[in-house]
Amino acid sequence: MTKTIIDSTSSENLAEVRDTPDKPITEPRLYQSRPIAPVATPPPMVSSLHAQLRTDLWQEYPSGVGYFQHRAKGNPNNIIEHYIASPGDITLLPLDEAMQIIDRFGLTAAKLHLIFAAHIMRQEDPWKSLFTLEGSDLIKEMGWDKRTDLPVSQKLNEIAKTAYALGCLAIKATWVEGKHKKGGIRASVDTSRMWNVQIQLTGQQNLEGKIEHPDEIYITVQPGLWTHAFLNKAGYFAQEALYQFGYLAQDILKIDAYHDEMALRLALHLTMESRFHTSGIYKVETLLKALLPQAVIDLARSDRKQTYKVTKNWNRTLEVLLKLKRGFQIEFDEETYPEWLRPGSKSRKKPGYFDTLLAAKITIHPPAPIPELLATKAELKQIQPRLKEAPKPKLTSNEIKEARVAKGWSQAQLAGWLGMSQRYVSMLERGERIPAPELESQIWHLLSISD
């Protein structure tokens, strides 16, 4: 048995794991006890996902460097740019080379990107922690364990190559959050990698010393330096850094990217949207613009074949989401979304139906129990001022544990509600960590601890 180490970055921290044993310590799978997992969704994570889903929106600087730019709707001065960097250094690639990498890995990279973001939530220090994932676990998390068209070694190779590509994704951000400059949270970062990635393959080497058919891979991941500004948990509670999270449903990752590409694109988009769009109400045109190039939508307005194709794909997308084991909740607006236009209808479509579809309104909630979790997050924000005015006595570690057990929750469930790792909850209950005031208020409310 031999092993090969492939490092897509120049990170000194990651270089330290070169002497790891054949089977390093790895993270447990995300979905062992619950169908959902908290996922980090700060602005760079969201814009990075969009950069991978919408290759048509990439641009080119006069120097030739390719870039994807995101501007905040509420503040156009808040800008995040994504690039593709060459392996081993931070040289930014020209647009055509960047597109080759993004197009090659597409939705597979988007899935793995979110899996990395979910594993961040399990770390005590998400802005600097290293964690290692096992390829066999990733095959299951991505829904590839049911695929019979590829041998396991080829699946592992594909995941390794995708992880390597994510290690080439770079970011630069200028971001201030808050109404007043003095009281706002500044989270500007110079160009850095989104992820520092190192890959270890185990298996038999060929005559050239390469492992062509690995029997296992281990991917060690460290978030880039941008997380010091956007994912500092301790800083968040002290209001010194940005930090947001949503929830990622296991069934979303199992959507077939080849047969149901638009459905997967929409599911990934809604995962990011749900962080701040809790109502779930959308115009169909708004969602299509998030999924398709504007030119495709414009052509569908005038070309009957394209109209039929886009409408058919949209209806298929909704059907796929509805049929998930833990499906999306989809409601059609009675006034704007007529029965004859909905998926499964056999009625003849009326002239100009595509314009009717674009104007139609639809409510889409992510799979349970995500809507309930998001509602609790919103409620917590509303009660924070009141909780601050009437401070509770300091919580003891035993009180947290006893209240959690009385409620019938596991540590992982409480961690999911609070948006932190199970390990951190365990440390709170052992008295190894003292909750910050805002976190303590959330625990008081969630566990309904009485005086």
Side-chain angles (χ1 to χ4, degrees), residues 112-215:
L112 192 58
H113 176 72
L114 286 186
I115 289 174
F116 286 0
H119 278 285
I120 274 182
M121 295 294 295
R122 295 183 165 196
Q123 311 307 312
E124 180 185 353
D125 298 328
W127 58 98
K128 62 182 179 182
S129 295
L130 291 172
F131 55 90
T132 300
L133 307 178
E134 189 169 346
S136 297
D137 288 340
L138 290 171
I139 286 176
K140 295 175 182 177
E141 289 180 354
M142 298 180 72
W144 287 7
D145 52 322
K146 305 300 181 184
R147 289 185 61 177
T148 58
D149 58 324
L150 296 176
V152 173
S153 61
Q154 193 169 339
K155 294 176 184 178
L156 292 172
N157 266 327
E158 190 64 24
I159 289 175
K161 292 175 182 177
T162 303
Y164 186 84
L166 284 178
C168 296
L169 190 62
I171 176 179
K172 181 179 181 180
T174 301
W175 200 273
V176 178
E177 196 158 292
K179 294 182 178 180
H180 306 290
K181 291 184 178 179
K182 291 185 178 180
I185 304 170
R186 184 172 297 278
S188 300
V189 292
D190 292 328
T191 304
S192 71
R193 294 185 184 276
M194 279 293 296
W195 306 104
N196 298 317
V197 178
Q198 186 179 75
I199 304 155
Q200 175 183 332
L201 296 82
T202 63
Q204 296 298 321
Q205 292 183 349
N206 60 19
L207 296 177
E208 297 177 354
K210 297 180 180 179
I211 299 177
E212 295 182 339
H213 305 288
D215 50 39

Side-chain angles (χ1 to χ4, degrees), residues 293-326:
Q294 184 63 47
V296 172
I297 299 174
D298 291 341
L299 181 60
R301 292 178 184 272
S302 57
D303 184 272
R304 280 206 285 178
K305 288 185 177 180
Q306 186 68 14
T307 300
Y308 174 79
K309 180 179 178 180
V310 173
T311 304
K312 182 181 179 181
N313 286 344
W314 171 251
N315 287 337
R316 168 65 181 170
T317 291
L318 297 184
E319 290 171 349
V320 169
L321 297 189
L322 285 167
K323 290 179 180 178
L324 292 178
K325 186 177 180 180
R326 296 175 180 84

Side-chain angles (χ1 to χ4, degrees), residues 189-257:
V189 292
D190 292 328
T191 304
S192 71
R193 294 185 184 276
M194 279 293 296
W195 306 104
N196 298 317
V197 178
Q198 186 179 75
I199 304 155
Q200 175 183 332
L201 296 82
T202 63
Q204 296 298 321
Q205 292 183 349
N206 60 19
L207 296 177
E208 297 177 354
K210 297 180 180 179
I211 299 177
E212 295 182 339
H213 305 288
D215 50 39
E216 189 55 88
I217 63 170
Y218 300 98
I219 302 173
T220 299
V221 182
Q222 180 186 43
L225 294 177
W226 64 272
T227 52
H228 284 263
F230 285 94
L231 274 181
N232 185 331
K233 277 187 181 177
Y236 163 70
F237 290 119
Q239 294 187 349
E240 295 175 354
L242 302 181
Y243 175 70
Q244 293 110 334
F245 73 97
Y247 298 94
L248 177 62
Q250 180 181 24
D251 287 351
I252 288 176
L253 295 174
K254 295 185 177 181
I255 297 176
D256 190 330

Side-chain angles (χ1 to χ4, degrees), residues 96 169 249 257 279 294 304 312 411 422 434:
D96 58 342
L169 190 62
S279 71
Q294 184 63 47
R304 280 206 285 178
K312 182 181 179 181
Q411 288 183 342
Q422 179 270 333
I434 298 175

